[in-house]
Structure formats: structure tokens, C-alpha cells
Amino acid sequence: MVDVILGLQWGDEGKGKVVDYFASKYDVIARFQGGPNAGHTLFVNGKKIVLHQIPSGIFHSDKINLIGNGVVLDPVTLKKECESVIALGVDVTKNLFISERTQLILPTHRALDKASEISKGDEKIGSTLKGIGPAYMDKTGRNGLRVGDILEKNFTTQYIKLRMKHQQLLDTYHFQEDIVKWEEEFFDAIEFLKTLNIVNGEYFINDKIKNGKRVLAEGAQGTMLDVDFGTFPFVTSSNTISAGVCSGLGIAPQKIKEVIGITKAYCTRVGSGPFPTELADSTGDFIRNAGNEFGSTTGRPRRCGWIDLVALQFACMINGVTKIVMTKADVLDSMQELKVCNGYMVNGIKTAMVPFQMNHVEIQPVYQTFDGWNSNITEIGIYEKMPEKMKSYIQYINEFLGISIEYVSNGPGTDQIVSV
Ligand code: GDP
Ligand code: IMO
Ligand code: MG
């Protein structure tokens, strides 16, 4: 049996915290896509930790954490991350496993990401510059190197061959940076990677499922950043949606049970691209400060706005969401008034559908206004004790989406989550 936790917006919905919270109910926590562009925050004994590639179940010593074949893995970032979790008492040789089919991010992928973004000028994606796009391009272009390849005798030869291809591209971009130091780090990290558990991920996970183990698939990014269904081209390069679980882990669709979608009580986006409910004003600034909305991976300020039910409904449809967790409700604690987008005006016509090219049409969000609850909910542990005005807000969203918000997160702490 496999359940999925994934983001319904443009990422950073609080997946790390929610996965950590639910991890105790599962035996295996597995990442199925993305790479070091992700930044998943959780708290371990009150200490803030940001994970990029390691699944968010790593601090549960009795859980298996698997990096699946759908991930693009940067060995350099992985080594640093492993060092930081080892320092907190985790034995990565016991509970971290990596699929041999996982694609490697090379130093030249990072260079190409940077060169490509610079060349786009004003039209840049706002990439995290971790080499994600170029690494997935090499996967679909059938050039990439995989984790299993590092155990082959001719790995260095294969590396040099691909690096030369990349160099030709970098030359066309007139990319000047010296990547020799990046390569030294890379080969050092490759040696470290060899000491970890490299497995045949698809047999590994299917064996667990056959033996009745419970798997939690942890999404990265969010539905609106999906390469097929997001706000293309302002997206990431993987399938962030539930369908990505099957191809990113080697799991059959019938094995998937719950699809738990995470949304903030409002909405954020980091990087470029359309965001119909964005508040480029003092309200947006207020939310950014109250929610500490600065990127976990890059530190960039996140763009903030009202919750967008048109985009959320679309995300629920694409993913087959069965239940919703709403995070960061406490961030709205001192707002006098809240807005919920329940339609888009496009060319004078109201629609509840996400347009093909959001950035090519003028979208005017249509709002329903709610009174703010105007009280501190961070210490409340039972839903019944939550303010009535918050319950009305949640009720409206439930009815609009036809799917229930089953948990409300009311603070960053592991235990600050209330079952509805
Ligand atoms: P992820 O990428 O989806 O895992 O989310 P991030 O870790 O990038 O960003 C979520 C941020 O919100 C982190 O700093 C979390 O500690 C924080 N957070 C998560 N849930 C809550 C919540 O309910 N309330 C508040 N105030 N912060 C939260
Ligand atoms: P988590 O898992 C928020 C955004 C980038 C950029 C676009 C493409 O923490 O929610 P990429 O580096 O993939 O080429 O960037 O996607 N992006 C994210 N935004 N959260 C993330 O991950 C993101 N990963 C990528 O800002 O706009
Ligand atoms: Mg994040």
C-alpha cells in the first residue's frame, strides 16, 4: 500500500513538516522526483533542518528512506546533507537507500543551468540553479549518467565523454566560470556515494509492498510547477503530480491509496511566472513577514497572495487528491479580512478553469471575502476550539473543492497540527 503526500500549489506548502508528522504510520518514505531544488523544513528536537534530497523520514531510525529513480541526484549536496544528519545521530548506512537508476547531476549540469538562465534575460525561469533542467534533459535525451554507473570501471571515461558534450554547449553560451573545483568536490562525493546503499529501487520497494509494508511517497515542488500541467515554461522539469510516483519509483497505479494534498491557507510562489492572486502590495509584504516566506533552498523572498481555488481544484483533479492538509493557517491570525479566489475573469468571462497559457491572458481573480479570525491559534490543539470564523473559511474551501481539509497546521513545530 502506497500513500502520497504532495504539494498542490507552487511548492513550499510545508511537505517536509507534514511528511515528518505522518512518518510514524509508514515503513518506507520515498522521494520520487525533483532533486536539490527542493527544500523541505522540519524540526528535530527543536532544531530547524532543511532537507533537499534525503526523504523527510530520515530522523525516524526505524524507517527506510529511499531516493527513487525519478530523482536527479547531486552527490555533492547529498554528501553535505548526509554529514549534517549524521551529526544529529542518524545512521545513513542503515536507513538511507538510493536507486541505481537515479540520474546524476554533474557539475556541468549546474553550469548549463546557470548559462541557460543568463541567456534568457528577462524571461528567465527563476531556477534554483541546481542543474535540474539540464540533468532531466540528459535523461530524456538518453545521455545521462546514473547512480549505478559509478560502480562501473569505465565511469570516469563516461563522465569525460558527457562533460565534453556539455563543454561544447557551454562554449556556445560563452560560459567562463572555472568548474575544476566543482569537479574535485564531485569526485570526492562520488566516493562517498559508493559507501551508501545503492539498490535496485523497483524490486526493493515492490518487495516491501508485497510484504505488507506501508510506503509514503514524498513529493517535491508542487502541482503548478509540474512540467506537463504547471504554468509552462515557468515550471520545474519533472512530473510533480501523483502520476510521477509510478514512474519515479516503479510502482503500479493500483498500489496507490491516499493522495494527500498540501496547501497553504494562502498561496506563495518563488521564481518567475504567472500567479493570478499575487499581492504585490503591503498585504503581500505582511504575509511574507508573518509567514517567514523566504526560500528554504535559495533564501529568495517568496511572492505571496490569496488562496486560489481555481488552481487548487485543478490540482485536486490532476492528482486524484483524497484528503487535504492546510498549513500555515496561523500566518493569517492577525488579518482583519481574508480573500479566496473562486474564479478567473478572462476576456470578460468568468471561468473556473486554468487557461492553457496563464501568462498570455489577462486574468482578473474573482474573490469571496471572509472576516479574519483575528486571534492566536498556534496553541490550540483541538479543532473544536478553533475560531468559528476559521471554520467558516475551511468549510467554504471544502465545499468548493468537494474534498475535505482533514488537518490544519497551526505553526512550524512538529506537533502544531490539528485533526479536523
Ligand atoms: P516544503 O518545501 O513544502 O517542505 O516547505 P518549506 O520547508 O520550503 O517551507 C515551509 C515553511 O513553513 C518552513 O519554514 C516550515 O517550517 C514552515 N511551516 C510549515 N508549516 C507551518 C505552519 O503551519 N505554520 C507556520 N507558521 N509555519 C509553518
Ligand atoms: P519544494 O520541494 C518552490 C521553482 C523555482 C523556479 C522553478 C524551476 O521545496 O517545494 P528549478 O530549480 O527546478 O529549475 O526551478 O521552480 N522551484 C521551487 N519553488 N519550492 C520548490 O521545492 C521548488 N523547486 C523548484 O523557484 O521558479
Ligand atoms: Mg521548500
Side-chain angles (χ1 to χ4, degrees), residues 314-353:
F314 174 79
C316 289
M317 171 181 82
I318 296 287
N319 289 301
V321 170
T322 55
K323 49 175 89 161
I324 297 175
V325 178
M326 178 184 271
T327 55
K328 306 196 90 161
D330 56 297
V331 173
L332 303 180
D333 274 1
S334 53
M335 308 277 297
Q336 298 297 321
E337 191 178 71
L338 304 171
K339 287 187 180 169
V340 170
C341 168
N342 61 13
Y344 294 161
M345 287 297 280
V346 181
N347 298 327
I349 298 165
K350 188 176 174 186
T351 174
M353 282 167 74

Side-chain angles (χ1 to χ4, degrees), residues 28 64 203-213 215:
V28 181
I64 285 167
Y203 280 112
F204 182 83
I205 203 156
N206 280 293
D207 247 25
K208 303 276 177 228
I209 296 170
K210 211 183 323 168
N211 289 318
K213 303 288 183 202
V215 175

Side-chain angles (χ1 to χ4, degrees), residues 10 67 98 168 181 219 223 249:
W10 279 279
I67 298 178
I98 303 162
Q168 285 176 354
K181 187 158 180 305
T223 304
L249 290 171

